[in-house]
Amino acid sequence: RAAGALDPIAPAGDEPAPELEPTLTPMPEQRQGQGQAPEPALASDRLKMQVALGKALGIFRERAALEAGLEALEGIPGNLPLLARALVQSALAREESRGAHSRLDFPDRDDGRFRKTTVAQFDGESISVRFADIPAARNYTRV
């Protein structure tokens, strides 16, 4: 029965395979936020980004790999690489291990400095990272 299954990637019937665009579609201007987003990335740039993130944001992280990942991401245009840079910068700024964020160079949790939410912001030129207090616990029980 498996031999008769449809290939989800293959075109239906005798239709030719669709041409793939070499770039991502840019977001509409009204959805780009305050800063002007960079141009979309080429497929080759997306591959460079994926490799850099795979090396930098693995299960176990350390400063050298994070800095190398950030350097590899520099110059890659587009919204996705911009987000990737924000992720790596956020991981660099969080000098502790917590949950899925495991730093070999900072193996302990540091509640005093980092029991907070990470906030990364792009101002049109650069990404800034800060830590914001976690809101007070909410009671979601029904009355």
Side-chain angles (χ1 to χ4, degrees):
R1 292 195 176 248
L6 294 176
D7 181 352
I9 298 173
D14 294 328
E15 297 176 30
E19 291 294 320
L20 298 177
E21 292 293 322
T23 60
L24 294 172
T25 305
M27 292 176 64
E29 189 174 323
Q30 68 271 17
R31 300 216 33 216
Q32 290 178 349
Q34 294 177 358
Q36 182 62 32
E39 293 297 316
L42 297 173
S44 60
D45 288 340
R46 289 195 312 267
L47 180 59
K48 288 179 199 173
M49 180 191 69
Q50 288 172 331
V51 169
L53 288 179
K55 291 178 180 178
L57 296 178
I59 294 173
F60 299 106
R61 305 166 183 181
E62 58 186 337
R63 178 171 297 284
L66 290 165
E67 288 174 345
L70 197 55
E71 187 176 321
L73 292 168
E74 290 301 321
I76 300 176
N79 291 326
L80 222 44
L82 181 65
L83 176 60
R85 289 192 297 272
L87 288 170
V88 176
Q89 282 181 231
S90 296
L92 265 169
R94 186 171 284 278
E95 296 177 335
E96 68 159 356
S97 290
R98 178 181 300 271
H101 176 76
S102 235
R103 292 275 304 257
L104 295 175
D105 46 352
F106 294 96
D108 298 321
R109 205 167 100 170
D110 185 349
D111 285 346
R113 291 176 56 205
F114 296 110
R115 190 168 188 269
K116 299 177 183 248
T117 297
T118 307
V119 179
Q121 188 169 4
F122 178 63
D123 66 6
E125 293 182 20
S126 64
I127 299 166
S128 62
V129 176
R130 65 182 174 84
F131 296 96
D133 289 333
I134 297 171
R138 297 182 179 107
N139 184 355
Y140 290 104
T141 58
R142 294 181 184 210
V143 179

